[in-house]
Amino acid sequence: MSTATYETIVTSVEQGVLTITMNRPDQLNACTTQMLQELTNAFRSAQKNDEVRAVVLTGAGRAFSAGQDLQDVKDGVDYGEHLQTTYNPLVKAVTSLEKPVVAAVNGVAAGAGASLAFACDFRIAHESASFLQAFVHIGLVPDSGATYFLPRLVGTAKALELAVLGNKVKADEAAQLGLVTEVVSKEDFEKRVLEFATHLAQLPTKAVGWMKKAMHGSFDRTLEESLDQEAFGQTIAGRTMDHQEGVQAFLEKRTPNFTGK
Ligand code: LHQ
């Protein structure tokens, strides 16, 4: 197990799983510029760290994240510029990470906090979790990837409804909409998140990283381009040690021991 220290987030690595905890519980883990920079650094470091084969993003206390810390917005700041220098690099660091990322949504995810959860590859929801497109309530528009991820997750009509009405979506409804992978009771939440992420960390990491890239870009490609992309990916995956191990294990009728190489 290894740990790194930041001021607004806490990180730890165990069994190949990097857990990143947003740690401003009294402000419902609302995002300050410092927190966004620390999160981006943590995700970028995860790409370089071979020990890390899956990432969990969660929040301390009763919330996942309330989005932008509305007390940390400086007078006169251009919001677009703020997004370009803080949230946008973070969203790209999450999506371009060639390892699976799980949002362990432990409570409310509002505004850009919800967008961050949507940018992750999986969402495991605590029974008390909720998602709120809070932007409309303060006269803003969805950002940090919400207009990209939400229509892909729930369809354009529902995405627009959630954005315009700004109603809170509770965990069970989120599951019905396909927004979350599963909803877990409070008793089992931490255990289930670790179990799920540990499973991800034991998969053939390079293949999973490639799947993520291919699926994210899918709607922007033609069939022909997708077929090319798949063929290219299969060339890469076919050269990994994990592929050899997978075939060997199949022939020997045993469980494969993937190493991520
Ligand atoms: C907060 C916040 C918060 C500061 C709760 N900030 N303190 C990007 C570019 C540039 C600018 C603008 O924004 C963006 C992207 C965005 O994310 S815009 C959307 C920003 N987020 C929101 O508008 C959500 C605001 N929060 C809420 O609606 C509620 O707090 C939710 C629904 C999240 C939770 O409600 P409750 O469970 O009733 O908790 P609460 O409202 O009582 O909050 C608890 C504390 O957390 C409270 O502080 P206090 O000192 O009174 O205990 C809040 O002031 C603080 N807090 N969100 N975003």
Side-chain angles (χ1 to χ4, degrees), residues 24-31 62-63 65-73 77-80 82-83 86-87 108-113 115 130 132-135 137-138 140-141 143-144 168:
R24 305 186 67 240
D26 292 344
Q27 294 78 29
L28 306 188
N29 303 313
C31 303
R62 70 178 174 93
S65 171
Q68 171 66 38
D69 187 319
L70 297 171
Q71 305 213 34
D72 192 55
V73 186
V77 75
D78 180 310
Y79 287 176
H82 180 54
L83 287 167
T86 56
Y87 290 94
V108 64
S115 307
S130 59
L132 174 63
Q133 289 291 288
F135 309 95
H137 301 305
I138 54 170
L140 291 181
V141 300
D143 62 25
S144 309
K168 198 181 261 188

